[in-house]
Every structure is written in C-alpha cells, then in structure tokens.
Amino acid sequence: MEGDYTRRKMNSWTLLFAIFFYFRCGQCDIILTDDHELNLKLNEVSKFSINASSFLSNISNTEIQLIVQHSDIIRLDPTILNITEGIHDINVTALGAGHSEVYANASDPAFQKHVKDLFLIVTVYKQDWLIPFSVVIGWIYFVAWSISFYPQIYINWKRKSVVGLNFDFIILNIVGFTLYGIFNLGLFFIPEIQNEYSDRHPRGMNPVKVNDIVFAVHAAIATLITIVQCFIYEREEQRVSTTARTILGIFGGFLTISIILAGVKVIHWLDYLYYCSYVKLTITLIKYIPQAYMNYKRKSTVGWSIGNIFLDFTGGALSMLQMIVDAYNYDDWVSIFGDPTKFGLGLFSVVFDIFFIVQHYILYRHSNYAEN
C-alpha cells in the first residue's frame, strides 16, 4: 500500500512538472526588445536586439536565420544566430531607399513556432527634412478637406436657399462618407475584425488612424447639416433624381446581401468592410457628375459654393503632392503607378475642381440665374 501511494505521488509530481514545462515552453518565443518598425536614413548604420528566453537552451540547439526581403535596401550582420539565452544585437545597414521586411526561419521546423513573432519592418528614407514636410502637407490637406463643407453650408444659410445645389451630389456624399466611417470604425474598434486583418496580413499594421475616423465622422455630420438645410430652405422643384435613386438602390442591395452573408458566416466581416470601401470609391468617382451637369443645364453656378471647390482642390492637390514626396523619399513609386487607386481618385477630384472653376469664372461668370 505504501509503495502504491509513493508511486501515485511520484506520478502526480511528474504530471505537474510536465504540465508546467509544457506551458513554460509555450512561452519560449524569441522576441524583439523594441518595436517591429525601424526607420533609417540612407547609408545609416543602426541595430535591433533579440531577446532569447532562458528556457530555450533546454529545448534545442537550433539556429535561426534572419531573412531580408530586399537585400538591396538593407544588410544585416549577423544573419545566423545560435539559440542561447540573453540579448542578441543585430547590425542594420541602410543600402537603398525603400521598405523591407526581416523575418526568421529556424533550422529545426519544430522550433519555428518560437520565432513566429520575430519580424521587423525597416523603412529607409533619403532626406530627413522631407519627413516633417510630408507630415505638414498631410495636416494641411486634412484641414482643407475638413473645412471644405462649410462654405456651402454658409452660402445656403445666407441665401436661405439651396437652389443650385444638386441633391444627387449631396445624397451620394452622405452615403459615401457613412460607408467610409463604417470601414474606419470597424477596423479600428472591433477586435474580431482586427484579428481577421492580422491573420491576413501577419506583418501588416492597421491602416486606419485616428484622423481617418475624425475626418469620416466629421464629413458625415457636415453633409447631414447640408441635408437638413435642403429641407428647411427654398429648393424649388429640386429632388434626388431617378438615376441616383437607382444607383443607390443597387449599392443598397449589394451591401444588404453582403451583410447577410457576413451574418451567416459565408464571408468575413472584414470582407464586408472592404465592400463598403469599394462602394465609397465608386461614389467618389461619380458624385461630381450631377453637379457639373446641373451647372451646364442652368448655365450658372449660383448656389454652388466656389469656396468648397477651392478647398477641395487644395486638399486633392496636396494629397497627390504628399504621395509624390513620399514616393521619392522612400523610392516607392509602385505605390503610385503600381496601385493607382488613391492617386487616381485625387487626380479625378482635382480635374473636376478645375472644371468647376472654369464654369464659375469663365463659362457662366455673367450668369444672373438667381434673379430669373
């Protein structure tokens, strides 16, 4: 009996030790001591550090190899590490402007899980002063776009009339900014969607920033104020056109089906947010057309704020300038020519703004439509 008791006691201790060792080993990851991002100037030499757990020596004598995505952008020294306890310093030399990832492979496949979080995104730039310059440009166009709604609100209030303001443009705007807000809020605040994004882009950073949320919510509120003005001020026979209603009906049907599919888990909620963003991009492409056509029919821009256009033009032009500055500084022209969506939308908006300016100051500058 005493021998059985002793064996049972030893077996219990063995089981507890095995469980303890299992969970401690599950925490034996090799990690960076700093952030997963490193910014360097061209030809600069810096370093990052790797922290190896004290339990690693009990598991394996495995080596890890650091893999550089673009060897023409950065060079590492050393690139092969023996797994030993403590801090390991890695020197980084910036060879060329651009973005490059560093990740790790273990010589023992069973050890790969311990280096899954060992990655670094290195950005190499050409000129120091272009970084704050780009930031300043970004804030200027953010402010310009944010306040671009108020000249129209003011002119509506001053005239006590919305005659000349196209209702299709307004309704497309509120739908577009609402969808943009849904995309930003979902990706920024909902953990389930954030986890899905991380699964798809393991080394990617959340693309939504606080200023994106502020702009989207503010734009939707300002557009809503304009819609309220359309109900309380003189509007003659203006209304939302059948064409705009049809387009919005198609968008609504598409998004309704998408949200049902997301609800029954046929698609992910992240996919639904992407669909919202695609609809928003489409709206941005077409929303200026009704107002331009209305000005042409009336041979007048009375009731349509030119201040809104100048601010929108400023925001769009500076947005493209920032993209060009960043593309030069980081030698990342692919961001413009390889994926032209953002740049193309900015250019499209600027072209329409120029067209509106021509209508206002050249084609219809002598118009007295309001008096008629």
Side-chain angles (χ1 to χ4, degrees):
M1 292 292 293
E2 183 177 351
D4 291 341
Y5 171 77
T6 302
R7 282 193 296 273
R8 287 196 299 270
K9 188 173 181 179
M10 291 180 62
N11 289 338
S12 298
W13 280 108
T14 302
L15 178 61
L16 288 173
F17 178 79
I19 293 174
F20 172 79
F21 185 79
Y22 172 81
F23 282 105
R24 291 303 298 266
C25 287
Q27 300 172 0
C28 295
D29 297 339
I30 300 177
I31 61 174
L32 295 179
T33 58
D34 300 309
D35 294 333
H36 288 281
E37 294 185 9
L38 180 63
N39 297 313
L40 300 175
K41 188 177 180 179
L42 188 63
N43 299 320
E44 181 182 355
V45 179
S46 184
K47 70 177 182 178
F48 65 93
S49 300
I50 297 174
N51 185 15
S53 167
S54 61
F55 287 87
L56 291 174
S57 58
N58 297 327
I59 299 175
S60 173
N61 293 320
T62 302
E63 293 181 338
I64 61 172
Q65 181 180 12
L66 299 177
I67 310 297
V68 177
Q69 181 187 22
H70 299 294
S71 58
D72 59 331
I73 295 179
I74 59 172
R75 181 177 65 242
L76 303 183
D77 182 32
T79 57
I80 297 178
L81 299 175
N82 292 317
I83 302 304
T84 57
E85 176 188 355
I87 305 296
H88 302 264
D89 292 332
I90 311 296
N91 293 319
V92 186
T93 303
L95 303 177
H99 306 272
S100 183
E101 290 186 7
V102 176
Y103 58 95
N105 278 338
S107 58
D108 182 357
F111 197 80
Q112 188 65 32
K113 64 180 180 180
H114 296 287
V115 297
K116 62 182 177 62
D117 289 329
L118 183 56
F119 70 91
L120 181 68
I121 301 174
V122 182
T123 301
V124 181
Y125 55 88
K126 295 178 180 178
Q127 299 293 335
D128 292 300
W129 67 272
L130 287 178
I131 297 176
F133 179 66
S134 175
V135 172
V136 170
I137 292 175
W139 277 107
I140 292 175
Y141 83 68
F142 172 79
V143 172
W145 270 340
S146 295
I147 65 177
S148 66
F149 301 93
Y150 293 101
Q152 186 66 57
I153 293 174
Y154 173 76
I155 197 173
N156 293 343
W157 170 79
K158 185 178 180 181
R159 297 171 65 236
K160 298 297 186 289
S161 171
V162 292
V163 176
L165 174 62
N166 188 271
F167 286 10
D168 290 358
F169 172 78
I170 296 300
I171 197 67
L172 289 171
N173 244 0
I174 189 63
V175 172
F177 287 128
T178 299
L179 293 177
Y180 185 50
I182 290 173
F183 174 84
N184 289 331
L185 291 169
L187 199 52
F188 193 84
F189 286 112
I190 301 179
E192 178 184 353
I193 296 176
Q194 292 175 340
N195 293 336
E196 175 61 25
Y197 184 87
S198 297
D199 291 340
R200 297 190 190 185
H201 310 281
R203 300 183 180 96
M205 303 298 174
N206 193 324
V208 177
K209 308 301 180 185
V210 174
N211 62 314
D212 296 321
I213 296 174
V214 172
F215 174 77
V217 174
H218 171 264
I221 293 174
T223 306
L224 188 61
I225 292 174
T226 307
I227 291 176
V228 172
Q229 290 180 319
C230 292
F231 282 98
I232 63 178
Y233 293 149
E234 172 63 32
R235 58 177 178 172
E236 292 185 350
E237 301 299 323
Q238 292 182 167
R239 63 184 182 86
V240 178
S241 71
T242 303
T243 301
R245 293 171 188 266
T246 302
I247 292 174
L248 292 177
I250 294 173
F251 289 156
F254 169 69
L255 293 177
T256 299
I257 294 173
S258 299
I259 199 171
I260 292 173
L261 293 177
V264 298
K265 301 186 183 305
V266 174
I267 63 174
H268 295 284
W269 283 106
L270 180 60
D271 294 316
Y272 174 73
L273 292 187
Y274 280 142
Y275 296 159
C276 290
S277 70
Y278 300 153
V279 172
K280 198 277 177 189
L281 291 176
T282 305
I283 287 175
T284 302
L285 285 173
I286 66 175
K287 69 178 184 179
Y288 296 101
I289 298 175
Q291 184 67 55
Y293 180 68
M294 182 178 183
N295 294 344
Y296 163 75
K297 283 185 62 179
R298 298 169 69 236
K299 298 297 186 290
S300 172
T301 58
V302 174
W304 171 243
S305 172
I306 195 63
N308 171 30
I309 297 305
F310 278 123
L311 289 168
D312 190 64
F313 176 83
T314 301
L318 291 179
S319 173
M320 292 189 296
L321 176 60
Q322 185 189 50
M323 293 184 66
I324 293 173
V325 168
D326 290 343
Y328 166 77
N329 202 27
Y330 301 111
D331 198 17
D332 187 21
W333 298 101
V334 174
S335 63
I336 295 179
F337 302 111
D339 184 13
T341 302
K342 181 179 179 180
F343 188 85
L345 287 174
L347 180 61
F348 188 82
S349 298
V350 166
V351 168
F352 257 101
D353 289 334
I354 294 174
F355 181 71
F356 285 129
I357 292 172
V358 171
Q359 284 187 322
H360 184 81
Y361 287 106
I362 300 177
L363 298 179
Y364 313 131
R365 65 191 181 97
H366 298 300
S367 172
N368 60 348
Y369 182 89
E371 284 72 29
N372 291 336

